[in-house]
Amino acid sequence: DSGVTQTPKHLITATGQRVTLRCSPRSGDLSVYWYQQSLDQGLQFLIHYYNGEERAKGNILERFSAQQFPDLHSELNLSSLELGDSALYFCASSLMTGFRTDTQYFGPGTRLTVL
Amino acid sequence: DQQVKQNSPSLSVQEGRISILNCDYTNSMFDYFLWYKKYPAEGPTFLISISSIKDKNEDGRFTVFLNKSAKHLSLHIVPSQPGDSAVYFCAASGSEGSARQLTFGSGTQLTVLP
């Protein structure tokens, strides 16, 4: 158990809908990262937050947004969903500002299926 | 454009033998490399890392080798155990710009046969 929790574990929805994925980082960790893993692909970095502020963006679609709240939990919002958005979405947390040698601890992921 | 490539989707090894997982990268800005291990229904777990100032890092049964000139790294597991069966991801990062974030390979499924 990494100490990172993600809810829900599974989500099935229809095209055009909007969903929210939730992540609680390990106790004491200030950085939260979101990744997307599509079928047979590696994890693609989406976005990084540190202590409530956005620090870096990867290949995140404009239909996707995220935020980190004062209690440090984070939410990833996916809207106008398309079939291609079906994937595993992982959240990770680390202690510091996202310095690249910080170990990132991953949650178990949310499997999103768009029908 | 895949900047980190794991060309073998799967590898099977007998228990007790050596497992060698390979990874190639193309971005010369990468100077920090990691291996993560992932079991089904779990998130990836950090295994071992190496900085570009080294060419080898060892942690118990796990050793990572880095060949900067070839832009290649490998993970050796000796001896392999059935519990090592998992998907192994190689990841890389650099110190500037978009390279600062982790870039992952597509993973190699290792199966250790008893």
Side-chain angles (χ1 to χ4, degrees):
Chain A
D1 183 355
S2 67
V4 179
T5 60
Q6 288 187 249
T7 57
K9 278 194 171 181
H10 302 277
L11 198 47
I12 301 175
T13 188
T15 55
Q17 295 298 305
R18 173 189 167 96
V19 297
T20 297
L21 313 183
R22 182 186 169 105
C23 168
S24 292
R26 291 187 324 153
S27 176
D29 282 359
L30 299 177
S31 274
V32 169
Y33 312 79
W34 286 97
Y35 293 87
Q36 178 193 56
Q37 185 186 16
S38 302
L39 192 64
D40 294 333
Q41 298 289 316
L43 285 75
Q44 303 288 323
F45 167 70
L46 295 178
I47 198 162
H48 166 220
Y49 276 84
Y50 170 72
N51 205 20
E53 292 188 4
E54 181 185 305
R55 279 299 176 101
K57 264 186 173 179
N59 295 325
I60 187 167
L61 299 171
E62 285 191 15
R63 300 183 285 109
F64 296 1
S65 65
Q67 57 185 129
Q68 187 180 27
F69 294 86
D71 66 353
L72 301 176
H73 91 272
S74 178
E75 292 180 357
L76 179 67
N77 299 296
L78 315 176
S79 61
S80 303
L81 286 167
E82 301 175 359
L83 296 177
D85 298 327
S86 295
L88 265 171
Y89 291 84
F90 288 103
C91 164
S93 72
S94 72
L95 181 61
M96 301 295 284
T97 61
F99 189 66
R100 59 214 180 81
T101 56
D102 282 349
T103 298
Q104 293 187 22
Y105 296 87
F106 283 79
T110 292
R111 181 172 293 282
L112 173 66
T113 302
V114 182
L115 300 175
Chain B
D1 174 30
Q2 269 190 300
Q3 299 185 59
V4 177
K5 297 178 187 178
Q6 293 177 257
N7 292 317
S8 299
S10 63
L11 174 69
S12 290
V13 171
Q14 284 296 134
E15 181 178 4
R17 306 295 286 266
I18 184 171
S19 295
I20 300 176
L21 296 100
N22 294 303
C23 178
D24 298 295
Y25 62 96
T26 57
N27 190 338
S28 14
M29 303 288 288
F30 290 150
D31 59 5
Y32 187 67
F33 305 90
L34 309 89
W35 285 93
Y36 276 81
K37 174 175 159 178
K38 183 183 178 306
Y39 292 118
E42 295 182 11
T45 303
F46 170 75
L47 194 56
I48 193 169
S49 63
I50 188 167
S51 164
S52 61
I53 61 173
K54 292 184 170 183
D55 54 20
K56 176 182 172 182
N57 188 27
E58 194 171 348
D59 183 1
R61 296 185 297 114
F62 301 91
T63 303
V64 57
F65 294 92
L66 176 63
N67 182 333
K68 289 184 289 293
S69 60
K71 293 191 175 68
H72 176 82
L73 64 155
S74 59
L75 175 68
H76 293 210
I77 306 173
V78 184
S80 302
Q81 300 173 353
D84 296 329
S85 297
V87 177
Y88 288 78
F89 290 99
C90 165
S93 72
S95 57
E96 296 181 14
S98 61
R100 288 178 58 88
Q101 303 302 327
L102 287 181
T103 300
F104 284 83
S106 54
T108 296
Q109 171 71 57
L110 172 66
T111 302
V112 180
L113 305 167

